[in-house]
Amino acid sequence: MHTVEKIGGSSMSRVQDVLNNIWLHKCNNSFYNRIFVVSAYAGVTDLLLEHKKSGDAGVYSCFAEASQADAWRDRLTDVQQHLLKINQSIFQGESLQEANDFIEERIKGADQCMQSLHDLCLYGHFQLDSQLATVREMLASIGEVHSAFNSVLLLKENGINARLVDLTGWHLDAPLSFEEMIKTQFSEVNPAKEIVITTGYTHCKEGLMKTFDRGYSEMTFSKIATVTGAAEAIIHKEFHLSSADPRIVGVDKVITLGMTNFDVADQLSNLGMEAIHPKAARGLRHAGIQLRIKNTFEPDHNGTLISNDYQNPRPCVEIIAGRRDVFGIEVFDQDMLGTSEHDINITRLLHHLKLDLVNKEADANSITYFTVGNRKKINRAVRLIEEAYPAAEVAVRNIAMVSAIGSDIKVKGMLAKTVSALTNADISILSLHQTQRQVEMQCIVADKDYENAIKVLHKALIEAEDHGEVIRRSAA
């Protein structure tokens, strides 16, 4: 039986650590029976598309906006130079030349394709907008195949039998369905005799980026695990799944989770701290495949095992997590009393603008949407809401979310402890939510109070409760 394992971009950028701690680290006394889905090196997809957080232009956004005719080509040249520098940091001699030749051929092909498309769309019968999704996927695939090709080359240099499975569809005559693409490309693979490295991006009829945008690599990871019948799915990250961010709370205070369930993983995903994309997790759950989160730099640690049915033997908070890049858009309108029209239309508007809706709250005549996105999109959303509802009062506030999460947080007095701890720390609670499912309690606080709120709640709900051994329980 084999495992399917995903390595994120931050880990991939420390490729020597990945080589020593993962690829050359034997599992069950063997290098093999492992399929690896690798992401682009850190920052590369930002350069190819746009910066995920700041929205700064990349090759794709320059091409799509076309404000300057050749700006996208200049950006593509910059990307090429960046990728060649990465190659130079990994390889020497013939291997360096091979790595450079491979990525230069891909970038040259993308350049020619985009220029031809640009020229074609100068004619009125052809519209660029209809092709932008394809261009976006093609550009994203460059970063993925770059790291995958380099990984195979590096493994071969170290005497390991390795195979590249290129799922990017480069020169493919016609796209296959997502599942059929995986089945076809893996039909001749033998994990027992070779380490298999594959791209995080899969070219398919469905167009992964249309639905999942930059979460495509986890969908590829999940689909490979289910299609090939993996014994276990593993994600390697640059940190453990812990009771809080050690950079905020302190390494000596956080506890590494031994086990949890997919409900907890979903709550983390909603806060932008993805253990795994919820729709990728769905495939694993349905197939009965457990997910393990491991620290790239501690290969002998069992990590955190995530399963369908796990529940802590004693109700407790397992994780204090949150995010601070949140905007609260408050819409007050007397006319919304007794109707759902405002909520339906505004939610649809936020989705159209690709603003992530993290949560919302409502009373008789107001709704507040807690959304994530750059300020430009937030301002546009406000303007469109005001145009749609001229009588409404719309206000925006930059806030932070802090959540207490666990597989079972039915803890008596937890709300009282939370309010008391935050109040004693002089932190105002702007809003408070607890779900009936008893897996999350969410506090809304001012952005400036974010880190202090994390520390305070970790101390009150985890450190003071002395249930570290319950959280730390692990499965080999």
Side-chain angles (χ1 to χ4, degrees):
M1 293 290 285
H2 66 275
T3 58
V4 174
E5 311 186 23
K6 178 181 177 294
I7 307 176
S10 297
S11 292
M12 285 300 298
S13 292
R14 296 174 63 174
V15 67
Q16 289 300 324
D17 289 313
V18 169
L19 177 67
N20 295 326
N21 296 337
I22 300 176
W23 294 329
L24 299 183
H25 185 79
K26 289 185 177 181
C27 292
N28 298 320
N29 206 34
S30 173
F31 293 121
Y32 302 111
N33 282 314
R34 295 182 290 172
I35 297 171
F36 290 96
V37 180
V38 297
S39 296
Y41 299 111
V44 169
T45 307
D46 287 339
L47 297 174
L48 285 163
L49 303 180
E50 68 284 316
H51 196 284
K52 192 173 184 178
K53 292 185 177 179
S54 69
D56 290 346
V59 179
Y60 169 78
S61 52
C62 285
F63 185 76
E65 294 169 6
S67 55
Q68 296 179 356
D70 291 327
W72 67 269
R73 177 163 275 160
D74 293 337
R75 295 295 173 101
L76 189 58
T77 299
D78 291 342
V79 170
Q80 178 173 318
Q81 293 306 312
H82 181 70
L83 300 187
L84 294 178
K85 284 183 180 178
I86 291 175
N87 291 354
Q88 194 170 21
S89 70
I90 302 171
F91 302 111
Q92 295 179 340
E94 291 182 5
S95 294
L96 176 59
Q97 189 61 52
E98 187 176 350
N100 288 348
D101 289 346
F102 176 83
I103 199 59
E104 285 176 335
E105 185 271 333
R106 286 294 174 106
I107 290 179
K108 180 181 178 181
D111 180 280
Q112 291 173 343
C113 179
M114 291 168 69
Q115 186 59 52
S116 297
L117 180 59
H118 178 271
D119 294 342
L120 184 64
C121 291
L122 294 176
Y123 298 90
H125 293 81
F126 302 94
Q127 301 301 314
L128 182 62
D129 287 352
S130 65
Q131 299 298 325
L132 285 178
T134 304
V135 172
R136 185 173 178 82
E137 296 209 5
M138 178 184 68
L139 287 170
S141 75
I142 292 174
E144 308 289 320
V145 79
H146 173 240
S147 64
F149 182 87
N150 283 3
S151 300
V152 171
L153 192 59
L154 186 60
L155 282 166
K156 289 180 176 179
E157 276 193 338
N158 283 271
I160 301 294
N161 187 26
R163 175 197 286 248
L164 171 64
V165 176
D166 185 356
L167 297 174
T168 65
W170 198 253
H171 297 316
L172 193 68
D173 292 336
L176 302 172
S177 71
F178 187 24
E179 186 161 330
E180 203 54 45
M181 183 69 167
I182 301 295
K183 286 181 178 178
T184 300
Q185 296 300 314
F186 279 85
S187 61
E188 298 181 0
V189 164
N190 185 359
K193 295 183 178 180
E194 55 194 357
I195 286 184
V196 181
I197 305 289
T198 189
T199 54
Y201 165 77
T202 302
H203 179 61
C204 58
K205 285 180 180 178
E206 294 88 337
L208 286 188
M209 294 190 76
K210 290 179 183 177
T211 305
F212 306 106
D213 198 42
R214 290 165 71 165
Y216 53 80
S217 64
E218 292 183 359
M219 294 306 300
T220 296
F221 162 73
S222 174
K223 182 64 74 173
I224 292 172
T226 57
V227 167
T228 63
E232 188 173 271
I234 301 172
I235 295 180
H236 299 272
K237 291 181 173 287
E238 66 275 21
F239 47 79
H240 284 296
L241 188 57
S242 302
S243 58
D245 186 340
R247 294 168 297 185
I248 295 175
V249 174
V251 176
D252 58 324
K253 293 184 174 65
V254 299
I255 303 164
T256 299
L257 270 66
M259 299 179 71
T260 191
N261 62 31
F262 281 108
D263 267 358
V264 169
D266 286 348
Q267 308 315 312
L268 292 173
S269 176
N270 192 47
L271 291 169
M273 301 175 63
E274 289 188 3
I276 187 171
H277 192 287
K279 291 188 178 179
R282 183 192 304 165
L284 298 178
R285 295 173 86 159
H286 288 173
I289 299 173
Q290 296 185 124
L291 172 67
R292 191 180 296 272
I293 308 297
K294 294 200 67 173
N295 186 323
T296 301
F297 313 110
E298 292 187 36
D300 293 319
H301 195 290
N302 286 332
T304 304
L305 190 66
I306 301 174
S307 63
N308 271 332
D309 304 323
Y310 177 78
Q311 190 173 76
N312 251 322
R314 189 175 84 210
C316 66
V317 175
E318 298 169 14
I319 303 173
I320 303 297
R323 66 187 305 168
R324 65 185 313 171
D325 56 336
V326 183
F327 292 91
I329 303 177
E330 183 186 75
V331 183
F332 170 82
D333 192 340
Q334 293 283 359
D335 292 338
M336 76 170 61
L337 183 63
T339 176
S340 60
E341 176 197 344
H342 285 68
D343 189 19
I344 293 170
N345 292 340
I346 294 172
T347 300
R348 185 179 294 124
L349 168 65
L350 297 176
H351 177 73
H352 177 72
L353 292 176
K354 295 185 177 179
L355 287 167
D356 294 330
L357 184 58
V358 183
N359 205 344
K360 61 184 175 182
E361 61 182 15
D363 57 25
N365 52 19
S366 72
I367 305 176
T368 301
Y369 300 87
F370 299 110
T371 63
V372 176
N374 63 56
R375 189 73 203 210
K376 183 179 178 181
K377 286 185 178 181
I378 296 293
N379 291 340
R380 187 180 176 198
V382 170
R383 186 174 69 253
L384 292 174
I385 293 169
E386 289 174 337
E387 289 174 0
Y389 301 102
E393 298 176 16
V394 185
V396 178
R397 184 170 186 174
N398 189 206
I399 57 91
M401 288 183 167
V402 178
S403 291
I405 302 170
S407 54
D408 180 6
I409 61 169
K410 198 181 294 182
V411 180
K412 187 176 180 179
M414 187 176 69
L415 281 174
K417 290 178 183 177
T418 297
V419 172
S420 176
L422 292 175
T423 301
N424 290 339
D426 198 27
I427 298 173
S428 296
I429 303 172
L430 306 178
S431 183
L432 188 63
H433 309 272
Q434 184 169 3
T435 62
Q436 290 188 33
R437 195 169 173 80
Q438 299 293 341
V439 293
E440 182 184 32
M441 178 191 67
Q442 194 173 85
C443 302
I444 308 298
V445 299
D447 181 71
K448 66 180 178 63
D449 292 324
Y450 172 72
E451 291 197 2
N452 196 26
I454 293 280
K455 293 175 185 177
V456 165
L457 290 187
H458 190 270
K459 184 174 182 178
L461 302 180
I462 294 181
E463 295 171 48
E465 293 300 313
D466 193 29
H467 50 231
E469 289 307 315
V470 178
I471 296 176
R472 200 178 283 113
R473 283 170 61 103
S474 64

